[in-house]
């Protein structure tokens, strides 16, 4: 598959801070690509570099076959959906959506037709004559999307576009955005700090930390096979077993992670091959609706979180487990090894 | 609880009342004399006897026919328009130049732009007279007045535009460029329309400042160029001209109130509209 964007050795320094540090990245044509990371991890800077709002300190940005590294934003075939939408307040919805075509001297009838189409794509047909201040947050977000899509760019950049919406609307828009992306077939590069958002929509996700990519993988791989403790901690919840604990419980050196839903609480250790069991005391029970989280302090030292689907109508049994002794058990092949732990770290500090 | 809260409301009510009274007093001190000027312009007694023995439109007619006053008015309007035009262009450019880029001396330049509005007029006036006549060897004319006025008129435009830029942020212009508009198109279709009301507010304030300026004008005008404030000063102590001066003063009060009012309405917030009004 041809690449839409290639970044080679891309760096951006702000004074002493390396916001983006020697990044290499290829994004395929038609892909829904997410850049996930905490604030300050460099993901937004990468987006702004691709859009042309920042000039890189070093490195090359290729858009298809063209090097666009030093080109101004208006000479790049990418469009951006801004975090604050940046809908022009002195223009109607139609004028906003037509703007890109207008400055490219597309004729009025053609312009109008394409704007109508774009508004239809984002489910805003009939809103063309509204003023921006008459729209809700979700509608503004759709106008911003239509305004970018109408230009049929090679790549659409989205800078945390759902951040300002309430949870319900955000969930709806996640599904809709994915549908729209499939419909138009444009490469989407989506920046978010919300791991759930990234997992829901993306074909591939790059997890950013301190200006570098920690892991680049599909959502399933990212969740099931995190490459580092940072990824394991940032994408979903995970239990970390390392050092002495790993040796005692697993008979193996190294750092291991296991997801809460892979753990089970039972009364007695099952005598089953390929299972690991560890006794402990339930310290906290958190009811989450669909699931219940139990925090268990293992006798071996670490505290682990166990997730349990609430398939019964009553969760009284789970709630009553507080301060009870239980055995936590899991399948050995559900453990993900992060490689051997740093030998320099002192054993005392290695418990999770 | 209930009594204490009602007591605190009662106290704040008393406080509010005395504050209200004080406000009325201050406003009266400022505006009653102005009202007197307006009433005296209709006074039949040309020594302004009080209470007025009768009212007449005679002085308004005399004033309208006074060629000295009319010429002075035309000069004042010309100067104010030209100074405002210069201020609009330079003030906007300065605000844009100092906008996002942080460079060494940025704050110093910003201070230097704003300073003329705080400088005593007599210093500015003397400095310009010296500069024009002794150093540059330029004859004083209407243009020397325009240049001198423009130095402090720029401030009103600069402040208004800068405040607007701060409120708008950069994302609208970035969005425009992102959608394929070059820098000039972005200015024409996005930046300028969004600045328009702040430019108008700055221009109206600038016009008002220049129109009633007297100290700097005295030093930078030639003997032939009389602005309206200078004409008033020169005719004030001529007994037969006094009633006419009153009429002109009344006109000036109204003429300066209108732009300030409009500027306030347009800029949306009082603070922004009046920044830089001295």
């Amino acid at each position: 598959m041809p690449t839409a964007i290639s970044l080679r050795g891309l760096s951006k320094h702000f004074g002493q801070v390396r916001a983006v540090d020697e990044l290499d990245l290829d994004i395929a044509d038609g892909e829904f690509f997410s850049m996930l990371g905490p604030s300050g991890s460099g993901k937004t800077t990468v987006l702004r570099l691709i859009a042309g709002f920042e000039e890189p300190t070093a490195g090359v940005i290729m858009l298809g076959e063209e090097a666009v590294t030093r080109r101004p934003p208006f000479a790049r075939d990418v469009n951006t959906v801004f975090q604050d939408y940046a809908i022009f307040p002195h223009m109607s919805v139609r004028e906003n959506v037509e703007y890109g075509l207008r400055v490219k001297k597309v004729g009025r009838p053609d312009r109008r037709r394409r704007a109508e189409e774009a508004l239809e794509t984002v489910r805003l047909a009939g809103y063309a004559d509204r003023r921006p201040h008459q729209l809700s947050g979700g509608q503004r977000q759709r106008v911003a999307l239509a305004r970018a899509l109408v230009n049929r760019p090679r790549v659409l950049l989205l800078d945390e576009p759902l951040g300002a919406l309430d949870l319900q609307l955000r969930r709806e828009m996640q599904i809709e955005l994915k549908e729209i992306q499939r419909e138009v077939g444009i490469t989407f590069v989506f920046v978010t700090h919300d791991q759930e958002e990234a997992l829901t929509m993306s074909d591939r996700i790059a997890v950013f930390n301190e200006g570098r990519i920690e892991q680049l993988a599909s959502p399933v791989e990212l969740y099931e096979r995190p490459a580092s403790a940072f990824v394991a901690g940032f994408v979903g919840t995970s239990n970390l077993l390392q050092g002495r604990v790993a040796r005692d419980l697993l008979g193996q050196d190294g750092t291991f992670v296991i997801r809460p839903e892979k753990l089970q609480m039972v009364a007695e250790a099952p005598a089953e091959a390929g299972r690991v069991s560890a006794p402990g005391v339930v310290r906290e029970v958190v009811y989450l609706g669909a699931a219940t989280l139990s925090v268990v302090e293992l006798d071996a030292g670490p505290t682990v979180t166990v997730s349990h689907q609430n398939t019964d109508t009553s969760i009284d049994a789970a709630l009553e487990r507080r301060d009870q002794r239980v055995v936590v058990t899991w399948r050995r092949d559900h453990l993900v090894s992060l490689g051997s732990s740093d030998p320099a770290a002192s054993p005392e500090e290695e418990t999770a | 609880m209930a009594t204490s809260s009602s007591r605190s409301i009662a106290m704040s009510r008393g406080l509010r009342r005395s504050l209200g009274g004080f406000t009325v007093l201050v406003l009266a001190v400022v505006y009653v004399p102005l009202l007197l000027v307006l009433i005296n312009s209709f006074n039949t007694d040309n020594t302004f006897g009080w209470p007025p023995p009768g009212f007449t439109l005679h002085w308004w007619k005399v004033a309208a026919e006074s060629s000295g006053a009319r010429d002075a008015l035309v000069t004042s309007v010309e100067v104010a328009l030209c100074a405002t035009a210069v201020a609009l262009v330079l003030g906007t450019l300065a605000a844009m130049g100092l906008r996002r880029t942080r460079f060494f001396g940025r704050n110093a330049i910003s201070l230097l732009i704003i300073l003329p509005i705080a400088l005593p007029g007599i210093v500015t006036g003397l400095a310009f007279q010296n500069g024009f006549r002794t150093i540059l060897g330029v004859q004083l004319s209407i243009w020397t007045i325009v240049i001198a006025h423009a130095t402090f008129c720029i401030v009103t435009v600069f402040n208004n535009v800068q405040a607007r830029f701060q409120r708008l942020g950069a994302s609208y212009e970035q969005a425009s460029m992102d959608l394929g508009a070059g820098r000039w198109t972005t200015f024409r279709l996005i930046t300028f329309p969004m600045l328009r009301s702040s430019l108008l507010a700055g221009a109206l304030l600038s016009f008002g400042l220049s129109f009633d300026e007297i100290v700097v004008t005295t030093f930078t005008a030639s003997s032939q160029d009389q602005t309206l404030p200078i004409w008033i000063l020169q005719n004030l102590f001529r007994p037969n001209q006094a009633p006419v001066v009153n009429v002109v003063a009344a006109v000036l009060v109204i003429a300066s109130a209108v732009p300030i009012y409009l500027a306030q309405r347009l800029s949306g917030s009082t603070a922004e509209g009046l920044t830089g009004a001295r």
Side-chain angles (χ1 to χ4, degrees), chain A residues 20 24 30 39 73 117 123 132 144 147 175 184 190 248 277 349:
Chain A
V20 179
D24 293 314
S39 55
E117 278 172 18
R123 288 82 164 151
R147 186 175 70 176
I175 294 163
V184 296
F190 188 92
D248 290 354
S277 300
E349 290 171 351

Side-chain angles (χ1 to χ4, degrees), chain A residues 48 74 79-80 90 99 102, chain B residues 171-172 174 176-178 189:
Chain A
R48 292 177 60 81
F74 47 83
N79 286 120
T80 310
H90 59 292
Y99 188 83
R102 180 179 165 198
Chain B
S171 64
Y172 294 117
Q174 284 184 352
S176 165
M177 291 213 229
D178 184 72
L189 295 178

Side-chain angles (χ1 to χ4, degrees), chain B:
Chain B
M1 283 297 251
T3 49
S4 83
S5 72
S6 70
R7 257 182 69 111
S8 78
I9 288 168
M11 270 168 68
S12 80
R13 201 173 283 158
L15 187 68
R16 210 177 301 158
R17 218 169 268 162
S18 55
L19 274 177
F22 191 67
T23 309
V24 169
L25 185 73
V26 170
L27 288 177
V29 167
V30 176
Y31 287 101
V32 166
L34 286 175
L35 199 66
L36 269 180
V37 170
L38 195 65
I39 293 169
N40 269 333
S41 70
F42 299 103
N43 199 334
T44 46
D45 181 5
N46 63 355
T47 57
F48 312 137
W50 197 261
F55 294 101
T56 173
L57 282 174
H58 175 68
W59 306 123
W60 285 76
K61 194 161 161 282
V62 173
E65 282 162 4
S66 155
S67 65
R70 249 202 336 258
D71 289 349
L73 178 70
V74 171
T75 307
S76 272
V77 170
E78 278 172 2
V79 168
L81 282 179
C82 292
T84 300
V86 172
L88 276 177
V89 174
L90 295 185
T92 308
L93 289 177
M96 285 173 70
L98 292 178
R99 197 174 163 196
R100 276 185 308 270
T101 45
R102 304 220 156 260
F103 55 89
F104 179 73
R106 180 181 186 271
N107 290 336
I109 289 176
S110 183
L111 179 73
L112 286 177
I113 292 171
I114 296 171
L115 197 60
I117 208 151
L119 285 177
I122 194 146
V123 176
T124 313
L126 268 171
F128 270 109
Q129 194 186 45
N130 248 322
F132 285 133
R133 297 181 70 171
T134 324
I135 299 169
L136 294 174
V138 175
Q139 284 298 308
L140 294 182
S141 67
I142 188 170
W143 297 110
T144 52
I145 313 175
V146 168
I147 291 169
H149 282 195
T151 60
F152 52 80
C153 287
I154 285 174
V155 182
T156 65
V157 176
F158 177 75
N159 274 350
N160 267 287
V161 172
Q162 211 179 32
R164 179 61 54 90
F165 274 146
Q166 238 155 46
R167 205 168 62 192
L168 290 179
S171 64
Y172 294 117
E173 283 154 315
Q174 284 184 352
S176 165
M177 291 213 229
D178 184 72
L179 292 165
R183 290 183 182 90
W184 169 244
T185 309
T186 296
F187 181 81
R188 193 166 55 87
L189 295 178
I190 305 298
T191 317
F192 182 71
M194 292 177 118
L195 286 183
R196 202 154 36 202
S197 64
S198 71
L199 284 174
L200 197 54
L204 288 168
L205 279 164
S206 152
F207 187 91
L209 273 183
S210 165
F211 195 75
D212 69 1
E213 156 53 57
I214 185 155
V215 185
V216 175
T217 316
T218 313
F219 285 96
T220 50
S222 71
S223 49
Q224 291 89 43
D225 300 309
Q226 260 191 343
T227 62
L228 205 52
I230 290 186
W231 181 88
I232 291 177
L233 198 66
Q234 284 178 354
N235 287 276
L236 195 57
F237 303 110
R238 296 184 190 165
N240 55 338
Q241 286 284 47
V244 178
V245 168
N246 242 323
V247 172
V248 173
V251 171
L252 280 184
V253 168
I254 296 161
S256 32
V258 171
I260 297 291
Y261 171 75
L262 288 178
Q264 232 186 47
R265 284 285 301 272
L266 285 171
S267 64
S269 79
T270 318
E272 191 185 318
L274 292 182
T275 334
R278 60 171 177 186

Side-chain angles (χ1 to χ4, degrees), chain A residues 90-107:
Chain A
H90 59 292
M91 294 182 182
S92 69
V93 168
R94 175 183 286 116
E95 287 168 323
N96 263 285
V97 176
E98 283 184 359
Y99 188 83
L101 302 174
R102 180 179 165 198
V103 300
K104 285 183 205 98
K105 310 269 189 271
V106 175

Side-chain angles (χ1 to χ4, degrees), chain A residues 12-29:
Chain A
K12 176 68 183 175
H13 302 173
F14 295 104
Q16 292 296 308
V17 182
R18 291 168 178 234
V20 179
D21 198 6
E22 301 211 0
L23 197 71
D24 293 314
L25 178 62
D26 289 295
I27 298 171
D29 243 343

